[in-house]
Amino acid sequence: MTNTGEQLILITDIAVEKFQELLFDADKRDSYLKIAIALEGTQMHYAIDIKDEVEEGDKVYNFGELKVLVNEEDELLLKGLEIDYVQDEFGSEFTLHNPNMIEIYDDEEGGCCGSGCCC
């Protein structure tokens, strides 16, 4: 486990607050939020889960009282990820955007929109 001050990802204050509410409501206020890459066939997705302990290879990033885990294997693909929480008249949701995803996966046969998958 590494506790680092350098942030790999950006989580807005409102998103931190909403994640903390979710942990509190689940009676997991001392747990970690784990952000990872999940591969399904040829598509890549972000996975967010609640973990009670740090696993081998995980680094801990602190956002106030929110503790976020990222495994070293996922760091390159998560670098620059921006997580926000938005509300409008239709509802609310967490949004994830990674502007670096285009640079990592842009190729001649397809392109990337930065949302986490490439066509």
Side-chain angles (χ1 to χ4, degrees):
M1 170 178 78
T2 303
N3 191 350
T4 178
E6 182 181 330
Q7 299 300 353
L8 179 74
I9 60 177
L10 169 72
I11 305 178
T12 63
D13 291 341
I14 187 69
V16 167
E17 181 181 318
K18 292 298 180 180
F19 281 130
Q20 287 176 314
E21 286 178 18
L22 290 172
L23 291 171
F24 182 80
D25 291 346
D27 199 25
K28 298 280 189 174
R29 63 185 70 111
D30 293 327
S31 296
Y32 301 87
L33 191 71
K34 183 158 188 174
I35 302 174
I37 298 296
L39 298 174
E40 294 179 19
T42 59
Q43 292 194 341
M44 182 181 69
H45 304 277
Y46 296 110
I48 299 177
D49 199 4
I50 297 172
K51 297 290 184 180
D52 291 326
E53 55 189 49
V54 178
E55 298 172 351
E56 186 175 336
D58 285 345
K59 289 186 178 180
V60 178
Y61 294 88
N62 294 303
F63 295 86
E65 294 183 23
L66 180 67
K67 300 172 288 189
V68 176
L69 299 177
V70 173
N71 192 280
E72 293 172 342
E73 293 177 1
D74 292 334
E75 282 185 325
L76 177 64
L77 297 174
L78 291 173
K79 185 174 181 158
L81 177 65
E82 301 167 357
I83 302 175
D84 195 7
Y85 184 83
V86 294
Q87 294 177 300
D88 60 24
E89 63 272 12
F90 301 109
S92 59
E93 66 182 350
F94 289 98
T95 61
L96 292 84
H97 174 73
N98 192 339
N100 295 323
M101 197 57 64
I102 296 170
E103 296 174 17
I104 295 170
Y105 282 103
D106 195 14
D107 63 25
E108 295 174 10
E109 297 178 14
C112 294
C113 60
S115 64
C117 65
C118 298
C119 310

